[in-house]
Amino acid sequence: MDGVNASGVRATARIRARGDGRGGTSLPVLESDGPLALRRTRGSGAEARVVLVGAMSGPHGGDRFTVRAEAEQGARLRVGSAAATLALPGQHKGEARYDVRLTVADGAELYWLPEQLISVRDSELRVSTQVDLSAGARLVLREEQVLGRAGEEPGGLAGRLTLRIAGRTVLDQELACGAGAPGGWDGPAVLAGHRAVGQLVVARPEFADVPVDARVVGEGAVVLPLAGPAVLVSAVAPDALRLRRLLDEALASLAPASA
């Protein structure tokens, strides 16, 4: 573990995947410590699968978690988590941080599909996700946030999602919800009273030749083309189950015609 000090726990997990030259994917780097535990699970075909397991609860106030995943040329990597992540209040003052850094090379594919992040009352968490794709990379990224447990007011939750393709920024958005967020976050222009919000980013080189049209999917989700071979799906829902259904429906609608 990187360490425990007056400001909380610091921990890092690292994944590096690369094509093995035989039609499969190897994992030369699979390192984790403290509250972050990585486990390789049975893959399918050329795909390697990794599950992030929470070895302890958290993040708590003052904690700093970092996850880095890199898919090199020829790699097919799918990363998920064993359970939802709970942002919790802790004995250390100040916000917790959860930073995700993803890199995907030409000819590589990454599915980043963690379970929901739940903002617990009195917690304070800032999440930052930065994604760097080469022009020929493929990505499916899902983020889901649930504001409070059943019958509970949420803590403070702020997130930033940045996507760069071939060095060009095509998405850079921030959302702050719950305690301490600017007024209006729960109003009709943002969450409209919903308690679950999610984002889905899909990047494929073929989108450059066959762009995706903007459209509504289901009740509460919208597909928006980005200024590059990628689309953003934004969704709100009353609960986590309906949010997942909306995002799954949107992803299915983006599947290639031959799929």
Side-chain angles (χ1 to χ4, degrees):
M1 184 164 51
D2 287 357
V4 181
N5 54 38
S7 62
V9 175
R10 295 178 180 270
T12 301
R14 298 180 180 88
I15 307 167
R16 181 179 301 149
R18 65 169 59 125
D20 63 8
R22 303 185 302 274
T25 299
S26 65
L27 296 174
V29 176
L30 194 64
E31 302 173 346
S32 53
D33 55 32
L36 301 175
L38 296 173
R39 301 288 183 264
R40 181 167 189 171
T41 61
R42 185 181 298 274
S44 175
E47 183 180 82
R49 296 186 178 183
V50 176
V51 173
L52 181 61
V53 180
M56 300 189 301
S57 63
H60 297 84
D63 290 353
R64 179 70 178 265
F65 294 174
T66 302
V67 181
R68 300 180 182 274
E70 181 179 358
E72 298 180 350
Q73 189 171 20
R76 293 185 61 188
L77 176 64
R78 181 180 296 260
V79 182
S81 58
T85 297
L86 271 69
L88 298 165
Q91 61 179 335
H92 300 290
K93 295 183 178 181
E95 68 179 12
R97 291 288 305 268
Y98 203 126
D99 298 322
V100 176
R101 303 291 181 262
L102 309 176
T103 305
V104 189
D106 281 327
E109 183 174 53
L110 172 63
Y111 280 76
W112 184 262
L113 304 170
E115 295 301 310
Q116 297 91 353
L117 169 63
I118 302 174
S119 175
V120 173
R121 183 176 58 193
D122 296 328
S123 66
E124 187 178 358
L125 176 65
R126 179 173 295 275
V127 180
S128 171
T129 302
Q130 294 184 11
V131 186
D132 282 284
L133 305 181
S134 296
R138 295 175 179 272
L139 171 77
V140 175
L141 176 148
R142 182 184 69 213
E143 292 187 338
E144 299 166 308
Q145 297 87 32
V146 179
L147 304 180
R149 294 170 291 193
E152 176 186 68
E153 289 299 310
L157 178 62
R160 183 173 182 176
L161 173 59
T162 306
L163 171 66
R164 290 187 289 265
I165 300 178
R168 179 188 180 193
T169 299
V170 300
L171 174 66
D172 191 354
Q173 71 171 22
E174 294 187 63
L175 177 65
C177 307
W185 68 268
D186 200 23
V190 188
L191 298 189
H194 293 94
R195 283 295 180 267
V197 57
Q199 300 76 235
L200 183 72
V201 175
V202 180
R204 297 182 184 134
E206 56 265 32
F207 286 166
D209 300 319
V210 185
V212 176
D213 294 329
R215 62 182 183 271
V216 174
V217 178
E219 185 176 346
V222 60
V223 176
L224 300 170
L226 299 175
V231 300
L232 169 69
V233 179
S234 295
V236 293
D239 54 52
L241 179 60
R242 289 185 230 185
L243 177 66
R244 177 65 60 84
R245 288 175 177 168
L246 277 173
L247 294 177
D248 284 349
E249 182 180 349
L251 182 58
S253 77
L254 293 168
S258 59

